[in-house]
Short mmCIF file of all heavy atoms in Angstrom, two decimals:
data_model
loop_
_atom_site.label_atom_id
_atom_site.label_comp_id
_atom_site.label_asym_id
_atom_site.label_seq_id
_atom_site.Cartn_x
_atom_site.Cartn_y
_atom_site.Cartn_z
N ARG A 28 42.83 -36.33 -20.57
CA ARG A 28 42.59 -34.95 -20.99
C ARG A 28 43.48 -34.60 -22.18
O ARG A 28 44.51 -35.25 -22.41
CB ARG A 28 42.85 -33.98 -19.84
CG ARG A 28 44.32 -33.89 -19.43
CD ARG A 28 45.08 -32.79 -20.16
NE ARG A 28 46.52 -32.85 -19.96
CZ ARG A 28 47.35 -33.48 -20.77
NH1 ARG A 28 46.89 -34.14 -21.81
NH2 ARG A 28 48.65 -33.48 -20.56
N TYR A 92 52.69 -44.34 -8.55
CA TYR A 92 51.55 -43.41 -8.67
C TYR A 92 50.51 -43.71 -7.59
O TYR A 92 49.92 -42.79 -7.00
CB TYR A 92 50.91 -43.52 -10.05
CG TYR A 92 51.81 -43.01 -11.16
CD1 TYR A 92 52.70 -43.86 -11.81
CD2 TYR A 92 51.78 -41.68 -11.55
CE1 TYR A 92 53.53 -43.40 -12.82
CE2 TYR A 92 52.60 -41.21 -12.56
CZ TYR A 92 53.48 -42.08 -13.19
OH TYR A 92 54.30 -41.62 -14.18
N GLY A 121 51.21 -42.76 -22.07
CA GLY A 121 52.30 -42.02 -22.70
C GLY A 121 51.94 -41.43 -24.04
O GLY A 121 52.81 -41.09 -24.84
N GLY A 123 49.99 -38.68 -24.47
CA GLY A 123 49.63 -37.28 -24.41
C GLY A 123 48.23 -37.04 -23.85
O GLY A 123 47.77 -35.91 -23.80
N LEU A 124 47.56 -38.10 -23.41
CA LEU A 124 46.21 -37.93 -22.86
C LEU A 124 46.21 -38.00 -21.33
O LEU A 124 45.17 -38.06 -20.70
CB LEU A 124 45.27 -38.99 -23.45
CG LEU A 124 44.97 -38.79 -24.95
CD1 LEU A 124 44.19 -39.96 -25.51
CD2 LEU A 124 44.20 -37.49 -25.18
N SER A 125 47.40 -37.98 -20.74
CA SER A 125 47.55 -37.94 -19.29
C SER A 125 46.90 -39.13 -18.57
O SER A 125 46.08 -38.96 -17.67
CB SER A 125 47.03 -36.63 -18.70
OG SER A 125 47.67 -36.41 -17.46
N SER A 126 47.33 -40.31 -18.97
CA SER A 126 46.87 -41.50 -18.24
C SER A 126 47.34 -41.43 -16.79
O SER A 126 46.67 -41.98 -15.90
CB SER A 126 47.41 -42.76 -18.91
OG SER A 126 48.81 -42.85 -18.79
N SER A 127 48.44 -40.76 -16.53
CA SER A 127 48.94 -40.70 -15.14
C SER A 127 48.00 -39.91 -14.25
O SER A 127 47.67 -40.35 -13.14
CB SER A 127 50.37 -40.13 -15.09
OG SER A 127 50.43 -38.83 -15.62
N ALA A 128 47.54 -38.75 -14.71
CA ALA A 128 46.62 -37.96 -13.88
C ALA A 128 45.30 -38.70 -13.72
O ALA A 128 44.70 -38.68 -12.64
CB ALA A 128 46.39 -36.58 -14.49
N ALA A 129 44.84 -39.39 -14.77
CA ALA A 129 43.60 -40.14 -14.66
C ALA A 129 43.74 -41.23 -13.60
O ALA A 129 42.86 -41.42 -12.75
CB ALA A 129 43.23 -40.74 -16.02
N GLU A 131 45.84 -41.25 -11.06
CA GLU A 131 45.94 -40.62 -9.75
C GLU A 131 44.57 -40.23 -9.20
O GLU A 131 44.27 -40.47 -8.01
CB GLU A 131 46.80 -39.34 -9.84
CG GLU A 131 48.28 -39.60 -10.06
CD GLU A 131 48.97 -38.45 -10.80
OE1 GLU A 131 48.43 -37.32 -10.83
OE2 GLU A 131 50.05 -38.70 -11.38
N GLU A 160 52.53 -36.75 -7.97
CA GLU A 160 53.35 -36.91 -9.18
C GLU A 160 54.66 -36.12 -9.05
O GLU A 160 55.73 -36.61 -9.42
CB GLU A 160 52.55 -36.47 -10.42
CG GLU A 160 53.29 -36.77 -11.72
CD GLU A 160 52.37 -37.07 -12.91
OE1 GLU A 160 51.17 -37.31 -12.72
OE2 GLU A 160 52.89 -37.04 -14.04
N MET A 166 58.04 -36.52 -11.08
CA MET A 166 57.79 -35.92 -12.40
C MET A 166 57.30 -34.50 -12.18
O MET A 166 56.27 -34.30 -11.53
CB MET A 166 56.69 -36.69 -13.13
CG MET A 166 57.10 -38.03 -13.67
SD MET A 166 58.04 -37.86 -15.18
CE MET A 166 56.79 -37.08 -16.23
N CYS A 168 55.23 -31.72 -13.17
CA CYS A 168 54.16 -31.35 -14.08
C CYS A 168 53.40 -30.22 -13.42
O CYS A 168 53.44 -30.08 -12.20
CB CYS A 168 53.22 -32.54 -14.34
SG CYS A 168 52.49 -33.23 -12.85
N ASP A 172 46.92 -30.99 -15.80
CA ASP A 172 46.41 -32.33 -16.03
C ASP A 172 45.40 -32.72 -14.96
O ASP A 172 44.29 -33.17 -15.25
CB ASP A 172 47.55 -33.36 -16.01
CG ASP A 172 48.53 -33.15 -17.15
OD1 ASP A 172 48.31 -32.24 -17.97
OD2 ASP A 172 49.52 -33.91 -17.20
N GLN A 173 45.81 -32.57 -13.72
CA GLN A 173 44.96 -33.03 -12.63
C GLN A 173 43.67 -32.21 -12.53
O GLN A 173 42.61 -32.75 -12.23
CB GLN A 173 45.73 -32.99 -11.30
CG GLN A 173 46.81 -34.07 -11.19
CD GLN A 173 48.11 -33.71 -11.91
OE1 GLN A 173 48.28 -32.59 -12.38
NE2 GLN A 173 49.02 -34.65 -12.00
MG1 MG B 402 51.41 -37.97 -17.38
#
Side-chain angles (χ1 to χ4, degrees):
R28 68 92 191 93
Y92 292 90
L124 291 173
S125 203
S126 67
S127 59
E131 289 152 20
E160 187 149 346
M166 286 282 298
C168 57
D172 295 359
Q173 288 81 9

